[in-house]
Amino acid sequence: MVAWGVVMTLMCLIRSCQSLVVYVKWGLFPGINYYICLWYPRSERSKRIAIFYSSVSLAGVYGIERMEGVGGLHGWQWIFCLEGIATVLVAIFSFFYMYDYPETAKFLTEPERLYIIDMVKQDGIHLSSRFDSHFIWQAMKDYKTYVQVLIHLGLIVPGYAIALFSPTIINELGYTAANAQLLSVPPFVAGFISTIVVGIYSDKHNLRGPYIIGGALVSLAGYIILYCSVRAGPSYAGACLAAAGTYPAIPIILAWAGSNAGGDLKRGVVLAMVIGISNLGGVCSSFIYIYPPHFHLGHGTIMGFLSLSYVLVVFRTEAHQHGL
């Protein structure tokens, strides 16, 4: 987390946006998801991963962009600088106050500690917590790991894409500069709200697949509007719909992958593979939005990815019901 924060802070020294060719997440994102699995039973993970992931949809900060020219830096440079410094500070705080396991947490009373330990053990009964390379190979050879990689990939590409085409839509609405930045907020706010709500209800009903399917279909409807629309107004509504469907489905698949992987080691490897491999989808998003203003190639490709996720979730749900 410190390394990621330092890299993000130093990105503010880059003088051109065209030079930003590398986006570093290191082990933070899979690490946080794995950490949640150590503290909460499977029936309570979705909403917590959703709360964590919802910060992604609010990452674009309107106020920081207004710092254009301060200290000789552009507004986008200040975003990297301030958010990177905040990450480093939180990381230092976490080192001292974020405990690895309930067994070592000093802020818990003894009854609370025993309750959490018992709850997690009962949820993971018959699952191994020891380190054995056998579990690494088990994760890498399990076909379900790669199905979940592809499901996550089919959701990640649309998620990255929203930030790529929304500025063009806003520009077509006739807004520029600060007002345009303000109008970029509603799609991400829609994603933020839907992510938390869906995460809560996914845990409440103890369901994963149907909520991923629902999110994929909502997002698919948004991208169909984007593909067919020739006016900026309907396209803007489609962008909000796409965000409201894509963002909540991502933490659900991560909760699903972590819950069904097995013991601690295999779970860690599966989460690392699902998140690490599928994040390459960001590269795909960057190269398919090349024909403005309607971006038919990009939107059509995204619809294919969402359909892939839909089909694989149906397949995985049916396979699970048949014990496969």
Side-chain angles (χ1 to χ4, degrees), residues 215-323:
L217 291 176
V218 170
S219 186
L220 185 60
Y223 276 101
I224 290 173
I225 294 173
L226 285 161
Y227 187 92
C228 298
S229 177
V230 294
R231 293 185 294 120
S235 295
Y236 188 73
C240 293
L241 202 58
T246 299
Y247 285 121
I250 292 173
I252 304 300
I253 179 57
L254 295 179
W256 198 13
S259 297
N260 293 340
D264 290 350
L265 181 57
K266 184 180 178 183
R267 182 189 303 124
V269 175
V270 168
L271 284 172
M273 291 178 66
V274 169
I275 296 172
I277 297 174
S278 57
N279 265 329
L280 294 173
V283 178
C284 174
S285 298
S286 302
F287 285 95
I288 59 177
Y289 280 88
I290 53 178
Y291 299 119
H294 301 302
F295 297 113
H296 285 148
L297 173 63
H299 295 328
T301 304
I302 294 299
M303 287 189 280
F305 274 107
L306 288 168
S307 299
L308 172 68
S309 290
Y310 172 84
V311 170
L312 288 177
V313 171
V314 172
F315 164 75
R316 182 67 197 98
T317 302
E318 289 295 320
H320 177 72
Q321 291 176 352
H322 289 84

Side-chain angles (χ1 to χ4, degrees), residues 34-110:
Y34 180 73
Y35 182 78
I36 290 173
C37 293
L38 297 176
W39 281 79
Y40 299 100
R42 286 172 289 184
S43 61
E44 297 183 16
R45 292 173 189 166
S46 179
K47 58 176 169 286
R48 288 171 171 84
I49 296 175
I51 291 171
F52 166 67
Y53 186 77
S54 65
S55 62
V56 173
S57 59
L58 294 181
V61 181
Y62 166 66
I64 299 178
E65 277 285 348
R66 302 293 294 270
M67 296 180 68
E68 177 71 29
V70 176
L73 298 177
H74 294 292
W76 62 266
Q77 290 174 301
W78 276 111
I79 291 176
F80 284 111
C81 180
L82 297 181
E83 294 188 357
I85 291 173
T87 300
V88 173
L89 294 176
V90 171
I92 295 172
F93 176 84
S94 300
F95 179 79
F96 294 101
Y97 296 101
M98 192 171 174
Y99 296 93
D100 292 337
Y101 305 99
E103 291 88 340
T104 61
K106 296 180 180 178
F107 63 88
L108 293 174
T109 63
E110 196 58 30

Side-chain angles (χ1 to χ4, degrees), residues 120-261:
V120 174
K121 282 186 177 179
Q122 288 298 320
D123 184 68
I125 195 168
H126 304 312
L127 297 179
S128 175
S129 59
R130 63 190 176 89
F131 184 92
D132 190 326
S133 59
H134 167 73
F135 297 122
I136 299 176
W137 292 111
Q138 194 177 72
M140 296 179 70
K141 291 187 292 185
D142 191 344
Y143 86 93
K144 296 188 292 294
T145 301
Y146 299 96
V147 171
Q148 290 162 338
V149 166
L150 291 175
I151 293 172
H152 192 224
L153 177 67
L155 298 169
I156 276 289
V157 178
Y160 278 120
I162 293 169
L164 298 176
F165 62 76
S166 56
T168 300
I169 295 174
I170 294 168
N171 184 61
E172 288 186 333
L173 287 170
Y175 295 95
T176 57
N179 289 331
Q181 179 67 17
L182 182 60
L183 276 174
S184 69
V185 172
F188 297 103
V189 170
F192 170 79
I193 295 172
S194 62
T195 297
I196 295 178
V197 171
V198 171
I200 291 172
Y201 277 93
S202 175
D203 273 352
K204 181 178 180 180
H205 298 142
N206 201 24
L207 290 173
R208 303 292 184 250
Y211 281 98
I212 299 173
I213 290 173
L217 291 176
V218 170
S219 186
L220 185 60
Y223 276 101
I224 290 173
I225 294 173
L226 285 161
Y227 187 92
C228 298
S229 177
V230 294
R231 293 185 294 120
S235 295
Y236 188 73
C240 293
L241 202 58
T246 299
Y247 285 121
I250 292 173
I252 304 300
I253 179 57
L254 295 179
W256 198 13
S259 297
N260 293 340

